[in-house]
């Protein structure tokens, strides 16, 4: 959960937001245009450039591989080479649909959609060069996953709390 404040920009295109603690996520929209989200600690003035949008939505089909778990969601990211910028997210509903999400059409190598959560392995779909005003369908058919338990210990065999544990996986010859 997060607090969302909305204000309207003036004739000069400027808006003043009240100070908020921590990192902020700021975005703007007008009519059918939308900016990419800006994330960070407030400092001076940030520029948000509005762009035409497209709509993306989809379904999750688990087939006979089990039932649709609760808590699944889709993250939308913008990819430039190996830099991934979060754009939005959507929960998967009980009817196995997600979205619609309205996203800005921006210069990028691709838009990446990740299905995550539940007992299925993460699944990725890429969308290249969506057209302004288009509605795109991105469907997922995830495979069951196996939860991996990790026990972190020090050189003296003691349990270590607070250790960062990360994982990478090889998918189609590419490390993710």
């Amino acid at each position: 959960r997060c607090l969302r404040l909305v204000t309207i920009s003036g004739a000069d295109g400027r808006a003043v937001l009240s100070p908020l603690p921590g990192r902020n996520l700021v975005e703007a929209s007008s009519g059918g245009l939308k900016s990419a989200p800006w994330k960070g600690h407030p400092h001076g003035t940030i520029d948000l450039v509005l762009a035409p949008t497209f709509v993306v939505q989809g379904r999750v089909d688990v087939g006979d591989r089990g039932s649709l778990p609760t808590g699944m969601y889709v993250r939308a990211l913008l990819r430039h080479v190996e830099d991934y910028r979060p754009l939005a997210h959507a929960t998967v509903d009980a009817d196995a649909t997600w979205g619609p999400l309205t996203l800005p059409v921006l210069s990028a190598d691709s838009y990446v959609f990740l299905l995550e959560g539940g007992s299925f392995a993460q699944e990725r779909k890429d969308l290249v060069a969506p057209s302004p005003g288009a509605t795109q369908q991105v469907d997922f058919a995830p495979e069951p996953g196996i939860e991996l338990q990790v026990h972190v210990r020090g050189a003296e065999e003691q349990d270590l709390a607070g250790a960062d544990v990360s994982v990478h996986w090889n998918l189609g010859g590419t490390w993710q």
Side-chain angles (χ1 to χ4, degrees):
R1 293 192 171 242
C2 69
L3 176 64
R4 181 173 185 244
L5 298 175
V6 177
T7 189
I8 305 295
S9 60
D12 61 356
R14 296 182 181 276
V16 177
L17 302 174
S18 300
L20 296 171
R23 288 173 40 104
N24 296 173
L25 183 146
V26 182
E27 54 192 346
S29 62
S30 179
L33 304 175
K34 188 172 185 175
S35 73
W38 176 90
K39 288 183 182 179
H41 292 281
H43 66 281
T45 300
I46 59 171
D47 288 317
L48 298 177
V49 178
L50 301 185
T53 59
F54 72 100
V55 173
V56 63
Q57 60 193 12
R59 296 189 54 77
V60 177
D61 180 9
V62 297
D64 60 359
R65 298 178 298 274
S67 60
L68 185 71
T70 59
M72 294 188 87
Y73 58 94
V74 175
R75 288 192 303 140
L77 306 131
L78 191 66
R79 182 178 73 84
H80 293 280
V81 188
E82 293 305 318
D83 179 41
Y84 294 83
R85 209 167 142 195
L87 289 176
H89 68 277
T91 57
V92 177
D93 295 329
D95 67 354
T97 62
W98 66 272
L101 294 175
T102 301
L103 302 175
V105 176
L106 303 169
S107 174
D109 293 326
S110 69
Y111 288 78
V112 175
F113 300 92
L114 298 174
L115 175 68
E116 300 178 316
S119 57
F120 288 85
Q122 181 190 74
E123 187 175 357
R124 172 182 170 158
K125 298 285 179 130
D126 285 62
L127 182 60
V128 178
S131 300
T135 297
Q136 299 285 328
Q137 184 79 16
V138 176
D139 296 328
F140 294 96
E143 294 294 327
I146 298 173
E147 188 175 82
L148 178 63
Q149 299 281 330
V150 178
H151 182 197
V152 180
R153 298 181 299 170
E156 307 295 320
E157 300 295 319
Q158 76 278 19
D159 297 340
L160 288 179
D164 291 331
V165 178
S166 62
V167 64
H168 297 272
W169 57 98
N170 191 299
L171 190 60
T174 302
W175 284 97
Q176 306 289 317

